[in-house]
Amino acid sequence: MSEIWTVVHAERAALIADLADLPAERWSTPSLCPGWDVHDVVAHLTDDAKTTRLGFVVHFAAARFDFDRFNQAGVARERAEDPALTLAAFRAASGRTTGAPAPKATRLIEAFVHGEDIRRPLGLHRDYPVAPVVTAVRHQLDTSVKVGGGKERARDLRLTATDADLDVGDGPQVRGSAVALLLALSGRALAAGELDGPGAATLTA
């Protein structure tokens, strides 16, 4: 678990550094996360970093056990009028090791997927640590779409990473980087050519 937090803290720090000089007008750029702009995603990451087990239970109940309502309320709590203040709050919470009562691999998914939700629309690039990305991919393969995973999306497909030791499943093959596979499993749109193979269109449908 300490290894996961080491990675998560490094990813938070890298994202904060990438956004430190972002012009105010670019914070309204639509992210890859449907319905959220860059500012919303950073607010969500701030709320996620501050979440405790007890806090999750209280806020989830207040949201009538609806994940979308729960997440939107978290964004509303943490999104300041000035993006610089939201980023400052994220920075202040970035070293925390608290979280919702969920598998620890979800911390990696939050860091990598939301990192790309923000970076790609802004034209920013990061080389993510491959082994933790593979851990995140394997978790998404074992988790239902209903709770944020990608199990159903990958059913009857073979996923092969071109940059990591990952070759799982049976069926038409989908080839791509571990990050591209993770994003596709998480329901994110990809650039043309990031995935190939006879199963690529099925995974990204």
Side-chain angles (χ1 to χ4, degrees):
M1 183 53 201
S2 62
E3 294 179 1
I4 287 179
W5 281 121
T6 297
V7 173
V8 169
H9 290 158
E11 291 307 317
R12 288 173 178 170
L15 184 59
I16 289 166
D18 280 349
L19 297 176
D21 297 320
L22 187 69
E25 65 273 13
R26 300 207 66 196
W27 282 78
S28 60
T29 302
S31 78
L32 295 187
C33 190
W36 282 359
D37 62 17
V38 167
H39 197 172
D40 291 327
V41 179
V42 175
H44 169 71
L45 288 170
T46 305
D47 182 63
D48 183 65
K50 290 183 175 182
T51 295
T52 64
R53 288 175 177 267
L54 178 59
F56 173 85
V57 172
V58 171
H59 289 136
F60 194 40
R64 289 175 281 174
F65 307 102
D66 182 303
F67 274 108
D68 289 339
R69 188 178 291 117
F70 168 81
N71 285 329
Q72 199 59 51
V75 169
R77 279 193 302 274
E78 297 299 337
R79 179 176 166 137
E81 184 174 349
D82 183 349
L85 295 178
T86 306
L87 186 62
F90 183 38
R91 182 182 292 108
S94 63
R96 293 175 62 104
T97 57
T98 56
K104 303 310 179 189
T106 61
R107 304 302 89 211
L108 297 174
I109 294 161
E110 286 281 316
F112 298 139
V113 174
H114 286 320
E116 287 298 274
D117 283 342
I118 290 169
R119 288 188 174 98
R120 287 180 173 227
L122 293 175
L124 302 174
H125 175 77
R126 177 164 173 77
D127 292 319
Y128 296 93
V130 174
V133 173
V134 169
T135 297
V137 169
R138 292 188 183 279
H139 178 80
Q140 291 297 70
L141 287 170
D142 289 335
T143 305
S144 172
V145 170
K146 294 179 181 178
V147 289
K151 185 176 182 178
E152 294 83 358
R153 294 187 179 101
R155 182 175 291 138
D156 299 324
L157 294 174
R158 176 185 174 190
L159 273 56
T160 304
T162 55
D163 59 350
D165 183 15
L166 179 71
D167 190 0
V168 293
D170 295 300
Q173 188 177 39
V174 184
R175 296 180 297 270
S177 69
V179 166
L181 293 173
L182 176 61
L183 291 176
L185 286 170
S186 303
R188 298 316 197 256
L190 298 176
E194 283 195 81
L195 297 178
D196 64 19
T202 300
L203 181 60
T204 57

